[in-house]
Amino acid sequence: MITTEVRRHSTVLVSVTGTLDEDAGAALQRALDDVTADERDLKVDLHGALSMDADGLLHLLALHRRAESLGLRVLVVGWQPQPQQFMADVAGIRGRGSATGERYAVAGFRRLIELRAQSSRDLVDFTAGWLPRA
């Protein structure tokens, strides 16, 4: 489950709590539905997002891409250990405390993450087809 809180004062603030997963997409996309010309920035606060999977990462990347297409600068803050480590693993960055959150805004890095997250999700979907059904 995911909840978002949006405050508009030249900055759109999206606070994420819960699990950033497949169900997060619609809530994240609604956060930008009413953006006006007065808004310049999108700040995504992940302090309350304690876990994330490949689908959640793809939704976060889609939000980032949509915000940029609306002319918003994007800042993602509050990376918790599991989401930060998951993103580092997807990107192939090893080691504790890697500064993945700060590197998130780099377009090439974002594309790398997107490709690897999609591959990760495709692999899970593929292997799920081989598992016996209960």
Side-chain angles (χ1 to χ4, degrees):
M1 182 79 178
I2 186 171
T3 60
T4 60
E5 175 187 337
V6 180
R7 288 186 244 161
R8 302 186 190 288
H9 304 285
S10 80
T11 297
V12 178
L13 172 63
V14 177
S15 298
V16 180
T17 58
T19 301
L20 202 47
D21 58 12
E22 182 178 0
D23 298 330
L28 288 176
Q29 292 308 309
R30 280 193 307 272
L32 297 179
D33 283 350
D34 299 319
V35 169
T36 68
D38 294 333
E39 280 109 22
R40 301 277 184 247
D41 302 299
L42 167 65
K43 183 176 180 180
V44 181
D45 182 353
L46 298 179
H47 282 98
L50 301 180
S51 65
M52 177 173 64
D53 64 12
D55 289 315
L57 179 54
L58 288 169
H59 289 309
L60 195 58
L61 291 166
L63 177 68
H64 191 285
R65 190 181 318 92
R66 183 169 177 221
E68 286 182 333
S69 75
L70 293 169
L72 299 173
R73 291 175 295 191
V74 181
L75 176 64
V76 182
V77 298
W79 288 95
Q80 297 302 303
Q82 189 279 334
Q84 185 176 20
Q85 188 60 53
F86 178 76
M87 196 163 112
D89 291 345
V90 167
I93 299 170
R94 299 289 183 239
R96 294 182 61 192
S98 60
T100 337
E102 285 71 21
R103 295 180 61 191
Y104 181 78
V106 179
F109 182 70
R110 184 181 68 216
R111 184 67 183 141
L112 169 70
I113 293 289
E114 185 175 45
L115 291 172
R116 290 189 179 176
Q118 184 64 48
S119 296
S120 188
R121 183 174 70 181
D122 291 346
L123 180 62
V124 168
D125 290 345
F126 176 76
T127 57
W130 290 91
L131 297 176
R133 296 181 189 232

